[in-house]
Amino acid sequence: MKQPFATLAAVLAASLLISCLCVKSSAAPRTPTFASDIAPIIYQNCASCHHAGQVAPFSLTSYQDVEQHAQTIAAATQIRYMPPWHVDNPGLFQNSRHLTAAQITLLKEWVKAGCPRGNMKLAPAAPHYNKAGWIMGTPDAVYVPSRSYQLAAAGSDVYRCFVIHTNYPTDRWVKSVEIRPGNYHVVHHIICYLDTSGAARKLEAATHDGQPGYISFGGPGFPAKGMLGGWAPGTQPMTMPHNVGILLPKGADIVMQVHYHKDGKQETDLSHVGLIFCKKPVDKKMLIMPLLQFNLNIPPNDPNYIATAQLKVPANVHLLSVFPHMHLLGHTMNVTCTLPSGKSFPLVTVPDWNFNWQGFYTYKKPLAVPAGSVLHLTASYNNTESNPFNPHNPPVMVHWGDQTTDEMCLCFITFTVDQQHLLQNTAYAPGQNTK
Ligand code: HEC
């Protein structure tokens, strides 16, 4: 994140200069106020990360908070450094954090006017978060590894899998998942797999390094029964639409794979996963398909290496969300769907990939995709020195791999199958899916 900081400092200096030169403008039709204009923008687009216990370094949940950071807020939004939102599909996704140009101007004008409060009686209520910092609300169950993991100061990245027993005697359906790293300095990303075979327990039992869990690069080291979702900076909690659940099979272990990136200091981490269970019977199971291209041979000094992937959809489905993923050379990713009629529409467009901000982008409404449709992925990579994130100087040939310095070309897509109706098949739908 070095690059944006430099730019931000420059913009900040410029905006301070401008605000010194400006006297409060009386020509403006109306001065924006915190109560009517600013609080709604901040509470809706910023507070979810900017509150105690979350990823951002300070809270933005009151007038005082916002006023205290007013100058940097104006600057950071002006250059679209904040809020992080790295896809280009207005209107397609829910929880969009995209600010309009008008909202950005309001923030700037408000700061210029000296941050007036306005009539605070009209201000929206400050957002209330669970005391423990959960965004999705109070979880029904919280899982953590048996104890903290100690990470050495230096060396290559670590992929550690923690085996967490759930011990439910019946299948459970999960409505929302929120994964929270214990240590934002070193947790790079987390994926929660499910295991019902006991394989993960065996891998842990065979590990004798005095620490919880076991090492496994890439996958979890066994064929996973399913996934409970993942976390990377910017990821929001995942919540299923009406009637849909994520299956947590009875007796399953949650295998929490944490990718650690060392920061030069000894660190400890204890990451959490919180679940909210479905309180009503579930008709459809959430499934995940990866659209990916393993065959990556990105030559040094190629500013625009292109990788593609395709997948023909075998049944009528509804798409719930997408999770684009590349590493440090990734520049753009474009995923589209072509219907059997030949008509195409975008599934997600990433105009300027930023490795530091990743997550599931959830469609406002599940997207209907009929059998025979083709999903296309096109990604581009910049393996030159002009890419500020390039980990190799001089650039080298890069292939698919698990290390941050390798590459990936991948988009996870969550979906449901139209023909599936668990409510009509009581043998499959667990009756105990009410809490
Ligand atoms: C997805 C999480 C997330 C959201 C949403 C978010 N922020 Fe941030 N914000 C962060 C994190 C993490 C940092 C610290 C790391 C960094 O600066 O990149 C940060 C840093 C900042 C900074 C400090 C930048 C600096 O100069 O150091 C400002 C100002 C800021 N955010 C304002 C906002 C505003 C205003 C919004 C909403 C319009 C917003 N943020 C939304 C996560 C978020």
Side-chain angles (χ1 to χ4, degrees):
M1 294 195 199
K2 291 265 153 42
Q3 198 69 2
F5 272 119
T7 334
L8 184 58
V11 173
L12 187 56
S15 78
L16 279 173
L17 186 64
I18 292 163
S19 56
C20 294
L21 296 174
C22 292
V23 229
K24 190 173 168 184
S25 157
S26 53
R30 186 174 69 81
T31 308
T33 65
F34 183 78
S36 331
D37 307 286
I38 303 307
I41 298 176
I42 300 285
Y43 292 170
Q44 188 174 338
N45 300 287
C46 320
S48 66
C49 294
H50 284 268
H51 73 264
Q54 267 297 333
V55 60
F58 50 85
S59 289
L60 292 175
T61 51
S62 67
Y63 172 83
Q64 285 74 12
D65 292 341
V66 180
E67 194 265 345
Q68 196 186 338
H69 296 281
Q71 293 289 350
T72 29
I73 289 173
T77 51
Q78 197 73 39
I79 58 167
R80 292 196 177 278
Y81 178 55
M82 286 285 149
W85 184 254
H86 292 279
V87 297
D88 208 11
N89 309 91
L92 191 57
F93 298 109
Q94 56 170 260
N95 305 327
S96 167
R97 294 187 295 243
H98 179 81
L99 294 187
T100 62
Q103 288 175 312
I104 293 172
T105 304
L106 276 176
L107 286 165
K108 190 174 80 182
E109 295 294 321
W110 178 69
V111 175
K112 236 198 264 174
C115 307
R117 285 173 190 264
N119 181 353
M120 288 299 274
K121 283 195 193 116
L122 300 178
H128 256 290
Y129 294 100
N130 177 284
K131 271 215 193 68
W134 297 94
I135 297 174
M136 67 177 180
T138 307
D140 294 323
V142 176
Y143 293 104
V144 283
S146 54
R147 61 212 151 85
S148 302
Y149 183 70
Q150 314 286 327
L151 188 71
S156 51
D157 291 9
V158 171
Y159 280 64
R160 192 85 185 180
C161 291
F162 303 102
V163 187
I164 305 168
H165 306 182
T166 63
N167 292 328
Y168 286 111
T170 56
D171 288 352
R172 302 295 305 259
W173 289 107
V174 175
K175 172 97 184 154
S176 304
V177 181
E178 183 172 346
I179 297 170
R180 298 179 60 194
N183 185 336
Y184 290 109
H185 296 296
V186 288
V187 175
H188 172 291
H189 78 253
I190 300 176
I191 298 177
C192 286
Y193 297 96
L194 295 171
D195 180 33
T196 50
S197 69
R201 294 185 189 198
K202 283 191 195 128
L203 289 164
E204 182 174 45
T207 302
H208 302 287
D209 59 5
Q211 295 242 53
Y214 61 93
I215 297 272
S216 175
F217 277 97
F222 60 89
K225 180 83 185 167
M227 246 167 97
L228 267 186
W231 180 91
T235 304
Q236 303 250 345
M238 183 157 74
T239 293
M240 293 299 106
H242 177 64
N243 263 347
V244 180
I246 307 171
L247 182 64
L248 177 64
K250 70 173 178 187
D253 291 336
I254 297 173
V255 181
M256 178 194 270
Q257 183 187 49
V258 186
H259 175 178
Y260 294 107
H261 193 65
K262 295 172 183 167
D263 69 349
K265 282 187 290 199
Q266 259 211 319
E267 297 271 5
T268 63
D269 169 55
L270 187 66
S271 293
H272 293 51
V273 51
L275 304 180
I276 293 178
F277 293 111
C278 297
K279 304 296 187 313
K280 293 207 177 111
V282 161
D283 198 37
K284 290 183 187 298
K285 176 180 169 180
M286 184 205 82
L287 299 163
I288 300 185
M289 58 180 148
L291 182 58
L292 56 79
Q293 180 53 266
F294 282 122
N295 187 13
L296 294 177
N297 307 290
I298 310 173
N301 304 314
D302 187 340
N304 193 31
Y305 176 85
I306 304 289
T308 62
Q310 292 201 11
L311 193 152
K312 192 164 183 172
V313 179
N316 293 346
V317 298
H318 274 76
L319 308 186
L320 307 179
S321 66
V322 283
F323 186 122
H325 182 69
M326 298 185 281
H327 289 179
L328 297 164
L329 303 182
H331 180 214
T332 64
M333 185 180 282
N334 194 6
V335 183
T336 60
C337 172
T338 305
L339 300 174
S341 67
K343 191 176 163 250
S344 276
F345 56 91
L347 294 181
V348 63
T349 311
V350 183
D352 192 7
W353 170 251
N354 185 321
F355 183 70
N356 294 315
W357 297 107
Q358 305 188 35
F360 279 100
Y361 293 90
T362 304
Y363 296 113
K364 266 192 184 150
K365 254 182 66 186
L367 296 183
V369 170
S373 302
V374 179
L375 311 184
H376 307 266
L377 180 158
T378 305
S380 71
Y381 298 82
N382 177 354
N383 192 6
T384 68
E385 277 172 36
S386 73
N387 173 355
F389 301 108
N390 197 330
H392 301 286
N393 187 5
V396 299
M397 174 68 100
V398 174
H399 304 285
W400 176 284
D402 292 319
Q403 297 284 324
T404 311
T405 49
D406 301 322
E407 260 309 326
M408 288 199 181
C409 175
L410 165 66
C411 185
F412 285 115
I413 301 174
T414 70
F415 66 103
T416 56
V417 177
D418 293 6
Q419 270 184 342
Q420 183 177 48
H421 290 291
L422 300 175
L423 289 175
Q424 292 162 21
N425 176 1
T426 41
Y428 190 53
Q432 294 78 1
N433 50 17
T434 48
K435 195 178 172 240

